DNA sequence: AATCTAGACAACCGCACCTGC
DNA sequence: CGCAGGTGCGGTTGTCTAGAT
């Protein structure tokens, strides 16, 4: 049933793997990942396929740097929800939880380092831990970028999340209504003053209208249009993968 | 030019939850 | 009700690259 572990590929995805995955996700939708992994002939786990799609191949993804607006949104939402990355990602179309998580991690580490420096240089006797900016904690502490203090809200919400539909789409739809309720609940919960948070980041207002540096996922640069509006070409997809990819390449190269 | 470092991004892992049997 | 498989999430680690030294 389950493929032997030694047969499963790990590590970076190749272009060919991306092609295959994109084709089969288009055929079967963004679900049944184990099934897709199996029928596509990819020596990857369903989990790995899903991750690759969600974080990289999904055409809805924005790529490139976070805009100042997005950066502020992340900070604002994180102050409300803590490390609920998927929840935060829902509010930033085209951004993944992984991307936001990475962004946060990188920038909080940076902020923490700067803070540490300034703390050392300004005062060596200050040992107060009740700083208003406790959103930033010491580097190398466990989960240093975890705000903490939101456990109550988080656990309450966890119970609220008990009803979860199956598909990604359903989940998103459901969560949008769900999160609204949660938001209503949380609206009254205390969160960090934004002034305190904004102090830690640059706020180039003038950059607001700068178009975000976005681009399609790399694979879409060379994926032909015929891939997405599916028609009789679908039948070809059921040919052996070696043939499919070969003919695909021929399409690409003319 | 070589090496070092930090940032950005990709991917894996473990756990929890959901669903169908 | 319990179990197994599928899926999603958060945490963590690995890799690549650009800039600094």
């Amino acid at each position: 049933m389950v493929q032997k572990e030694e047969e499963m590929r790990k590590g970076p995805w190749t272009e060919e793997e991306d092609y295959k995955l994109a084709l089969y996700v288009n055929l079967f939708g963004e679900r049944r990942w184990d099934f897709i992994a199996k029928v596509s002939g990819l020596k990857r786990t369903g989990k790995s396929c899903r991750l690759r799609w969600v974080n990289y191949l999904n055409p809805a993804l924005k790529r490139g740097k976070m805009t100042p607006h997005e950066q502020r949104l992340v900070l604002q939402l994180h102050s409300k929800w803590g490390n609920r990355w998927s929840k935060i990602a829902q509010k930033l179309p085209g951004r993944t939880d992984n991307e936001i998580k990475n962004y946060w991690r990188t920038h909080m580490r940076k902020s923490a380092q700067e803070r540490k420096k300034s703390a050392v240089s300004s005062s060596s006797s200050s040992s107060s831990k009740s700083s208003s900016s406790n959103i930033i904690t010491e580097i190398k502490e466990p989960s240093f970028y975890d705000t903490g203090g939101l456990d109550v809200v988080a656990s309450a919400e966890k119970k609220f999340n008990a009803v979860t539909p199956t598909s990604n789409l359903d989940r998103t739809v459901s969560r949008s209504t769900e999160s609204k309720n949660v938001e209503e609940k949380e609206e009254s919960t205390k969160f960090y003053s934004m002034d305190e948070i904004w102090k830690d980041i640059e706020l180039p207002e003038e950059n607001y209208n700068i178009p975000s540096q976005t681009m399609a996922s790399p694979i879409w640069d060379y994926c032909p249009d015929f891939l997405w509006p599916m028609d009789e070409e679908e039948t070809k997809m059921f040919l052996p993968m070696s043939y499919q990819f070969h003919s695909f390449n021929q399409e690409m190269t003319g």
Side-chain angles (χ1 to χ4, degrees), chain A residues 121-189:
Chain A
S121 62
S122 64
S123 165
S124 58
S125 61
S126 166
S127 60
S128 168
K129 285 192 81 178
S130 57
S131 161
S132 59
S133 297
N134 59 353
I135 181 173
I136 293 157
T137 56
E138 280 295 317
I139 306 172
K140 300 221 172 179
E141 280 181 3
S143 301
F144 72 91
Y145 54 98
D146 194 323
T147 59
L150 291 158
D151 293 350
V152 176
V153 173
S155 61
E157 194 185 335
K158 201 150 195 172
K159 285 176 186 170
F160 195 77
N161 280 343
V163 180
T164 310
T166 53
S167 77
N168 234 346
L169 187 62
D170 290 346
R171 195 182 179 99
T172 305
V173 171
S174 162
R175 286 202 167 192
S176 63
T177 53
E178 163 253 298
S179 61
K180 199 177 178 183
N181 291 332
V182 174
E183 278 164 30
E184 283 170 8
K185 272 200 236 168
E186 292 175 352
E187 217 60 56
S188 59
T189 54

Side-chain angles (χ1 to χ4, degrees), chain A residues 32-197:
Chain A
R32 308 282 313 275
W33 292 109
D34 274 5
F35 174 74
I36 288 173
K38 208 179 294 174
V39 299
S40 64
L42 290 165
K43 289 178 167 51
R44 299 276 186 174
T45 64
K47 226 172 166 176
S48 181
C49 291
R50 175 189 160 270
L51 208 63
R52 182 62 177 173
W53 176 262
V54 167
N55 287 329
Y56 191 80
L57 294 178
N58 188 334
L61 289 181
K62 261 188 206 175
R63 301 189 79 81
K65 279 193 167 186
M66 292 264 202
T67 65
H69 175 65
E70 286 173 325
Q71 290 172 16
R72 278 195 253 188
L73 206 51
V74 168
L75 285 165
Q76 186 175 18
L77 294 175
H78 187 273
S79 72
K80 283 177 77 175
W81 296 330
N83 297 359
R84 307 293 305 277
W85 305 117
S86 61
K87 193 174 173 68
I88 293 171
Q90 286 172 28
K91 300 289 181 187
L92 285 90
R95 299 295 184 186
T96 68
D97 54 354
N98 208 28
E99 199 175 0
I100 294 167
K101 190 165 60 181
N102 283 332
Y103 167 78
W104 182 265
R105 185 181 164 85
T106 299
H107 288 259
M108 284 305 102
R109 181 191 285 153
K110 194 177 159 189
S111 298
Q113 283 173 340
E114 284 168 3
R115 199 161 284 266
K116 200 173 182 179
K117 272 186 199 169
S118 64
V120 167
S121 62
S122 64
S123 165
S124 58
S125 61
S126 166
S127 60
S128 168
K129 285 192 81 178
S130 57
S131 161
S132 59
S133 297
N134 59 353
I135 181 173
I136 293 157
T137 56
E138 280 295 317
I139 306 172
K140 300 221 172 179
E141 280 181 3
S143 301
F144 72 91
Y145 54 98
D146 194 323
T147 59
L150 291 158
D151 293 350
V152 176
V153 173
S155 61
E157 194 185 335
K158 201 150 195 172
K159 285 176 186 170
F160 195 77
N161 280 343
V163 180
T164 310
T166 53
S167 77
N168 234 346
L169 187 62
D170 290 346
R171 195 182 179 99
T172 305
V173 171
S174 162
R175 286 202 167 192
S176 63
T177 53
E178 163 253 298
S179 61
K180 199 177 178 183
N181 291 332
V182 174
E183 278 164 30
E184 283 170 8
K185 272 200 236 168
E186 292 175 352
E187 217 60 56
S188 59
T189 54
K190 176 183 180 299
F191 56 87
Y192 302 100
S193 158
M194 291 313 296
D195 289 340
E196 293 163 1
I197 298 170

